[in-house]
Amino acid sequence: MGPMFSFIKKKLGWGDAPADAPAQQPPAPTPAASVAPSSPVAVSSAAQKQAAPVASAAPEPAPAPTERRSWLDKLRAGLRKTGSSIAQVFTGTQIDDALYEELEEALLMADAGVSATEHLLQDLKRRVKDTKATEPSQVKGLLIDAITELLQPLERALVVGLHTPTVIMVAGVNGAGKTTSIGKLTRHLSEAGQRVLLAAADTFRAAAREQLLVWADRNSVDIVSQDGGDPAAVAFDAVQAGRSRGCDVVIADTAGRLATQLHLMEELRKVKRVIGKAMDTAPHEVLLVVDGNTGQNALSQVKAFDEALGLTGLIVTKLDGTAKGGVLAAIALWSRQRPGGAVPVYFIGVGEKLEDLQTFSAREFAQALLS
């Protein structure tokens, strides 16, 4: 597995998807160069803008390295509880109403939700008719295509480097794996040569500060922290420090909270506003970490946090062993109707190890779900 980033017009790749599962290429903001489809994070810098472009070079092959195959094995194992009942539908001998009824039940049990289930069934029936499929095994392949198409808008690279520093605000309820995800992301950024500054803006929970301090120490990165201080003030100081120290990325860990706690959600809005005062264009990313085990509740969280903050991306954790992985279909369908466009899933997690946080590929996910 190569480095995590794609530098300007030079494919380095991290978590490269296999050649038959290309990621959707996001629109690259000017003046950033185009992002390699396989890269989860694109890095742009002023120095790199001076470099001679290599866009005309022959495209590099994108084989599935051993590490990525290992990751896909983990993803398949993690989604087995979700996908086994869905895959079981296709073990029969004929395509009939009973097959579609069983599939509907299996999708609902996987927490795809009523709307996404109806969407997938209608799309699948159309594909079966168009291809004149006659075997249930063929229908399984068509369902993989339907799920891939539904999830495709969620597949996008996280762009870092268009601003110096790039300020990333991370939110999420307690227990979702927020601070751990920040630590893993910090590690990958550091390994790619980015100077990262962490802001421990979760000032209410001492354990959160201590956990972030451990990750900062492990990754040899700076951290701004106050014992019991004002979260917005910590975030402000961190952005100011990031600018004065020439950091590439500032990541603010905000306090875990429930979307129903309105006064705490208002405080999150305050943190975002204050970050904007510390740097005009910030925050450049507002990420929500959601626990994949929570099913439809994860969709409720996404909606609530998006309304409060205007989310720019998601990290979906704990997909290992979940029976509710179908919620990504529900999130994708909601994203289709969202006025601001889809909220991408930048990363998904299937375990505690560093390499267990990887980029999201719609086709990989669909294939793993029905493997």
Side-chain angles (χ1 to χ4, degrees):
M1 191 183 302
M4 179 177 181
F5 305 96
S6 261
F7 289 85
I8 263 198
K9 299 200 177 192
K10 181 179 177 185
K11 286 202 283 187
L12 296 177
W14 166 73
D16 288 342
D20 65 341
Q24 178 181 349
Q25 182 171 331
T30 306
S34 58
V35 178
S38 62
S39 87
V41 181
V43 180
S44 157
S45 72
Q48 288 158 349
K49 287 169 191 168
Q50 302 301 320
V54 293
S56 59
E60 298 175 15
T66 303
E67 292 87 347
R68 188 68 177 185
R69 285 198 296 271
S70 174
W71 151 257
L72 292 176
D73 289 341
K74 286 185 179 180
L75 181 60
R76 277 190 284 268
L79 292 174
R80 193 164 290 141
K81 285 185 181 177
T82 300
S84 59
S85 58
I86 300 175
Q88 187 69 28
V89 172
F90 304 106
T91 57
T93 58
Q94 55 186 351
I95 303 170
D96 53 16
D97 289 343
L99 181 147
Y100 289 116
E101 286 171 9
E102 287 180 39
L103 179 57
E104 180 180 23
E105 183 179 350
L107 288 169
L108 290 172
M109 290 295 290
D111 259 19
V114 174
S115 297
T117 296
E118 289 178 354
H119 171 88
L120 286 170
L121 285 172
Q122 289 174 7
D123 188 18
L124 181 61
K125 288 176 181 178
R126 177 187 60 80
R127 291 172 188 269
V128 169
K129 183 179 179 181
D130 290 348
T131 61
K132 297 181 172 60
T134 57
E135 300 291 333
S137 58
Q138 294 173 291
V139 181
K140 181 180 176 181
L142 293 173
L143 179 60
I144 289 175
D145 292 341
I147 293 174
T148 299
E149 186 176 294
L150 177 60
L151 298 181
Q152 199 77 50
L154 304 184
E155 187 180 311
R156 200 184 307 167
L158 173 62
V159 177
V160 169
L162 294 175
H163 306 274
T164 304
T166 295
V167 181
I168 302 173
M169 178 179 172
V170 185
V173 304
N174 286 330
K178 174 172 55 70
T179 305
T180 300
S181 296
I182 289 172
K184 291 176 181 178
L185 185 56
T186 300
R187 175 71 174 274
H188 288 303
L189 284 162
S190 297
E191 288 181 349
Q194 300 294 289
R195 185 176 179 187
V196 183
L197 176 68
L198 297 179
D202 186 350
T203 58
F204 297 109
R205 195 165 63 95
R209 291 195 305 278
E210 291 168 6
Q211 190 180 2
L212 203 63
L213 282 164
V214 169
W215 277 107
D217 184 60
R218 190 181 298 172
N219 296 321
S220 301
V221 301
D222 294 336
I223 184 169
V224 173
S225 174
Q226 289 180 15
D227 187 10
D230 176 53
V234 173
F236 182 90
D237 290 347
V239 175
Q240 293 279 56
R243 298 180 74 180
S244 64
R245 298 177 194 177
C247 292
D248 299 298
V249 182
V250 174
I251 304 177
D253 181 15
T254 62
R257 59 206 63 212
L258 296 175
T260 53
Q261 296 172 306
L262 298 181
H263 63 294
L264 293 177
M265 293 296 280
E266 179 52 43
E267 186 178 273
L268 267 184
R269 293 189 187 95
K270 177 186 174 184
V271 171
K272 185 182 179 185
R273 288 195 302 270
V274 170
I275 287 175
K277 291 178 181 177
M279 183 175 179
D280 283 343
T281 55
H284 308 107
E285 293 282 350
V286 180
L287 308 185
L288 179 68
V289 180
V290 291
D291 179 348
N293 271 309
T294 58
Q296 284 292 304
N297 189 37
L299 175 59
S300 300
Q301 290 174 29
V302 171
K303 289 178 178 179
F305 279 89
D306 184 49
E307 184 179 351
L309 299 172
L311 297 176
T312 63
L314 303 175
I315 299 175
V316 183
T317 63
K318 305 184 183 182
L319 284 171
D320 48 321
T322 181
K324 300 180 178 181
V327 70
L328 262 71
I331 291 173
L333 192 65
W334 166 78
S335 277
R336 282 191 171 196
Q337 298 147 3
R338 181 175 178 262
V343 178
V345 175
Y346 287 138
F347 306 101
I348 57 177
V350 294
E352 292 298 319
K353 295 180 180 177
L354 177 69
E355 61 269 21
D356 291 339
L357 183 73
Q358 291 280 348
T359 48
F360 172 70
S361 160
R363 180 157 291 276
E364 281 179 1
F365 187 88
Q367 289 173 335
L369 190 63
L370 290 170
S371 63

